[in-house]
Amino acid sequence: ALSRLMRVDAVRRVLGALLYAVEGAFDRAFGQAGNPWRHLGGLGFFLFWIVAVTGIYVYIGFDTRVDGAHASVERLSSNAFPLGSFARSLHRYASDAFVLVTLLHLAREWILGRYAHFRRFSWLSGVLALWLVFASGIGGFWLVWDRIAQYSLIATMEWLDALPVFAGALIRNFITPDAVNDRL
């Protein structure tokens, strides 16, 4: 157990040296106050609100019925809904950036050792929030309800069904197109 801890500590030291080198380069380019690596938490918070506001706006023009979901995305993309294409694009790219910034923030905090002692609750709630971010991202990906989203959903349900908790109970909801209805 001690050798494992020593290896993890050695990895953190190497990654820490790399992080300090990257931050130093960004400090020279943007100045310390404008360095985005030093504000990953704030950037994540800002991106969260962009995703929330654009998500509400896009949801207004979204048809949640199974047979209408993909068509409503097409309408949004063609600007049949006012600024629909802009809002959908902003939502999509801000969502991708939010996941990336959140992962970078989590990695940076781990590398700097900011996960222990009085910061333990913040660390644990952040790791839990990361799983919620992934779950909502996957759910948003499925909402488009195109072939890729359907394939992703079926594959995910098959993986979850492999767990003894579910034991085949989830995939039966998606085996045939008739099995999926608006309750989803």
Side-chain angles (χ1 to χ4, degrees):
L2 185 59
S3 66
R4 182 181 174 278
L5 287 175
M6 290 172 51
R7 284 189 304 236
V8 169
D9 196 40
V11 167
R12 279 191 34 232
R13 273 196 306 270
V14 169
L15 291 174
L18 180 64
L19 177 67
Y20 286 128
V22 169
E23 281 185 354
F26 274 78
D27 281 345
R28 286 187 294 280
F30 299 104
Q32 195 170 12
N35 186 344
W37 285 93
R38 297 183 186 276
H39 303 289
L40 290 172
L43 284 171
F45 187 70
F46 177 68
L47 289 167
F48 167 79
W49 284 108
I50 291 175
V51 170
V53 169
T54 57
I56 291 168
Y57 185 77
V58 167
Y59 187 73
I60 292 169
F62 185 73
D63 183 1
T64 58
R65 293 177 300 130
V66 170
D67 60 345
H70 187 67
S72 71
V73 171
E74 293 297 324
R75 278 193 306 277
L76 282 167
S77 297
S78 68
N79 275 332
F81 187 71
L83 295 175
S85 179
F86 174 74
R88 183 171 179 263
S89 296
L90 186 59
H91 183 74
R92 158 103 195 274
Y93 295 125
S95 297
D96 292 345
F98 177 60
V99 170
L100 178 66
V101 165
T102 303
L103 283 172
L104 288 173
H105 177 64
L106 184 74
R108 183 177 188 272
E109 296 304 300
W110 179 78
I111 289 168
L112 296 177
R114 296 179 180 162
Y115 58 86
H117 308 298
F118 68 93
R119 292 182 170 150
R120 181 164 311 275
F121 179 74
S122 298
W123 173 260
L124 292 175
S125 62
V127 169
L128 176 64
L130 182 66
W131 286 105
L132 294 174
V133 165
F134 284 143
S136 64
I138 290 169
F141 181 76
W142 290 341
L143 279 176
V144 177
W145 206 242
D146 58 357
R147 286 181 123 19
I148 296 172
Q150 292 172 17
Y151 176 78
S152 169
L153 180 117
I154 290 170
T156 302
M157 292 305 125
E158 287 173 348
W159 291 347
L160 290 175
D161 276 346
L163 298 174
V165 175
F166 300 112
L170 295 174
I171 193 61
R172 70 174 176 234
N173 292 314
F174 307 102
I175 291 175
T176 65
D178 297 334
V180 179
N181 60 30
D182 291 337
R183 70 184 164 95
L184 183 62

